[in-house]
């Protein structure tokens, strides 16, 4: 794995130092500056990625984890996504993109989300959308939620993409999830979640209600999904449990086989799930509505025009988001 960060030393704590790249100035929280700045360093970045590819026996694809709030995550993340797809068009490309808190981390975060999602929709095969606000709400039962707890929850949710399962070949879970959950290119967003309880099989109804309340998936239609069980009892899923879990995700009527159930070995009993749900379209619409208000007022546009991102790029990005929302509403009818 490789790491790119404008803050010196941050990724070196997690990754091999040879494959980290932080020799560039900050991006000022602006997508345009990050996207343009990446052009000067893209060859060095791709060289580090090439080294990682050659370390593997068979590279099947890539997973990029980045934020959509600041300039590095949205700008560099989008440019690297574009370059990877250009150089390795036959390989799978999954983006784990983190939406910022709705209360605001950056005055131009809605612009960054808008422009980054426009690029990801063009080049990514699956976009795993992680919403910081939603994760915080799921943890709201605790008196005070720290960023450490939020990050731990996100890592827990990501296990469905990384864990070996009996139903799929070794180390292929991510690509199988992508083929099942995001089989339609126009609606290729995915939400992850998890629910862990020791007595899940004894209290099925309570567990299903908890899943619906925590995720909010039940309010919107779901297109498809994968449920991963790590409980020995749940590995023998009977029709009653399978039916109840399926209903909690409110799958569309036109998909005869909307969900697959997998099992794996894990010390912590419970389930992980990857769902393509209509709530994703509404979440994107909320972000772009904020961007649209600022755009019509002409707010902060000079931050982007100085890096050659003008009104045409914004208009195209708004059209892309509108098309995504329209496709989700049509598919989830």
């Amino acid at each position: 794995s490789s790491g790119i960060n404008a803050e010196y030393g941050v990724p070196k704590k997690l990754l091999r130092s040879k494959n980290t790249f932080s020799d560039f100035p900050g991006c000022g929280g602006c997508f345009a500056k990050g996207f343009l700045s990446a052009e000067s360093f893209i060859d060095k970045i791709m060289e580090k990625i090439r080294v990682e590819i050659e370390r593997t026996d068979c590279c099947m694809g890539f997973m990029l984890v980045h934020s959509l709030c600041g300039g590095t995550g949205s700008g560099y993340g989008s440019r690297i996504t574009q370059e990877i797809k250009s150089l390795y068009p036959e390989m799978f490309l999954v983006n784990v993109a983190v939406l910022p808190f709705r209360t605001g981390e950056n005055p131009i975060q809605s612009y960054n989300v808008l422009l980054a999602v426009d690029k990801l929709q063009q080049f990514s095969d699956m976009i795993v959308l992680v919403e910081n606000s939603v994760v915080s709400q799921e943890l709201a039962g605790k008196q005070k939620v720290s960023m450490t707890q939020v990050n731990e929850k996100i890592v827990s949710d990501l296990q469905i993409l990384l864990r070996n399962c009996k139903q799929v070949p070794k180390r292929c879970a991510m690509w199988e999830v992508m083929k099942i959950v995001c089989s339609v290119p126009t609606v290729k967003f995915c939400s992850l979640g998890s629910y862990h309880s020791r007595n899940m099989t004894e209290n099925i109804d309570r567990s299903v209600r908890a899943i619906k309340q925590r995720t909010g998936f039940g309010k919107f239609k779901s297109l498809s999904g994968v449920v991963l069980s790590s409980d020995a009892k749940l590995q023998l899923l009977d029709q009653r449990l399978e039916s109840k879990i399926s209903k909690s995700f409110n799958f569309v009527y036109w998909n005869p086989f909307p969900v697959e159930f997998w099992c794996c070995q894990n010390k912590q009993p419970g389930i992980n799930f990857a769902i393509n749900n209509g709530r994703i379209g509404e979440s994107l619409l909320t972000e772009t509505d904020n961007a649209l208000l600022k755009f019509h007022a002409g707010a902060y546009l000079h931050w982007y025009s100085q890096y050659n991102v003008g009104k045409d790029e914004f208009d195209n990005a708004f059209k892309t988001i509108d098309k995504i929302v329209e496709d989700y509403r049509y598919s989830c009818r």
Side-chain angles (χ1 to χ4, degrees), residues 105-254:
E105 303 173 36
N106 178 353
I108 55 173
Q109 65 182 32
S110 55
Y111 284 162
N112 292 338
V113 171
L114 171 75
L115 295 167
V117 170
D118 178 37
K119 295 295 183 183
L120 299 186
Q121 179 71 359
Q122 294 180 52
F123 301 107
S124 183
D125 295 310
M126 179 172 78
I127 305 165
V128 178
L129 208 60
V130 179
E131 302 178 61
N132 273 337
S133 296
V134 173
V135 175
S136 295
Q137 288 174 6
E138 290 184 37
L139 299 171
K142 301 178 181 180
Q143 291 183 348
K144 189 176 180 180
V145 178
S146 66
M147 282 306 301
T148 300
Q149 291 171 318
V150 172
N151 290 332
E152 287 175 351
K153 178 65 168 64
I154 293 172
V155 171
S156 174
D157 293 347
L158 282 171
Q159 292 303 305
I160 193 169
L161 302 180
L162 307 174
R163 191 171 293 279
N164 293 330
C165 311
K166 294 181 179 180
Q167 287 81 356
V168 295
K170 191 174 182 181
R171 297 179 182 175
C172 292
M174 187 187 311
W175 320 124
E176 290 299 319
V177 168
M178 186 193 72
K179 288 188 286 185
I180 296 168
V181 177
C182 299
S183 57
V184 181
T186 54
V187 284
K188 55 185 177 184
F189 288 78
C190 172
S191 292
L192 304 181
S194 59
Y195 179 75
H196 300 285
S197 174
R198 292 183 179 180
N199 56 352
M200 191 167 180
T201 48
E202 286 79 6
N203 297 299
I204 296 173
D205 292 331
R206 184 188 302 174
S207 300
V208 169
R209 283 198 302 271
I211 293 170
K212 292 175 71 173
Q213 290 172 359
R214 291 189 179 190
T215 62
F217 286 158
K219 298 177 182 178
F220 300 93
K221 292 286 187 179
S222 297
L223 303 180
S224 54
V226 173
V227 176
L228 173 66
S229 162
S230 55
D231 187 337
K233 295 179 181 178
L234 286 173
Q235 289 179 15
L236 300 173
L237 283 165
D238 57 29
Q239 292 183 350
R240 185 171 68 99
L241 178 57
E242 190 171 316
S243 175
K244 284 184 176 291
I245 292 177
S246 296
K247 285 181 180 179
S248 71
F249 294 118
N250 196 17
F251 288 107
V252 292
Y253 72 92
W254 50 261

Side-chain angles (χ1 to χ4, degrees), residues 40-89:
S40 304
F41 301 100
I42 195 67
D43 290 338
K44 292 182 180 179
I45 294 170
M46 295 309 298
E47 174 64 17
K48 292 181 180 294
I49 293 175
R50 183 192 62 79
V51 170
E52 281 298 302
I53 293 173
E54 293 183 354
R55 288 174 61 91
T56 65
D57 295 327
C58 177
C59 181
M60 298 181 65
F62 306 88
M63 181 176 75
L64 274 69
V65 183
H66 56 103
S67 167
L68 298 182
C69 178
T72 305
S74 63
Y76 267 80
S78 299
R79 183 64 186 89
I80 293 169
T81 297
Q82 180 179 339
E83 190 69 13
I84 287 176
K85 202 60 180 176
S86 173
L87 295 177
Y88 307 100

Side-chain angles (χ1 to χ4, degrees), residues 5-13 20-26 41:
N5 202 306
E7 298 179 21
Y8 292 91
V10 171
K12 293 181 181 180
K13 299 174 184 177
T20 59
F21 183 79
S22 57
D23 299 329
F24 59 92
F41 301 100

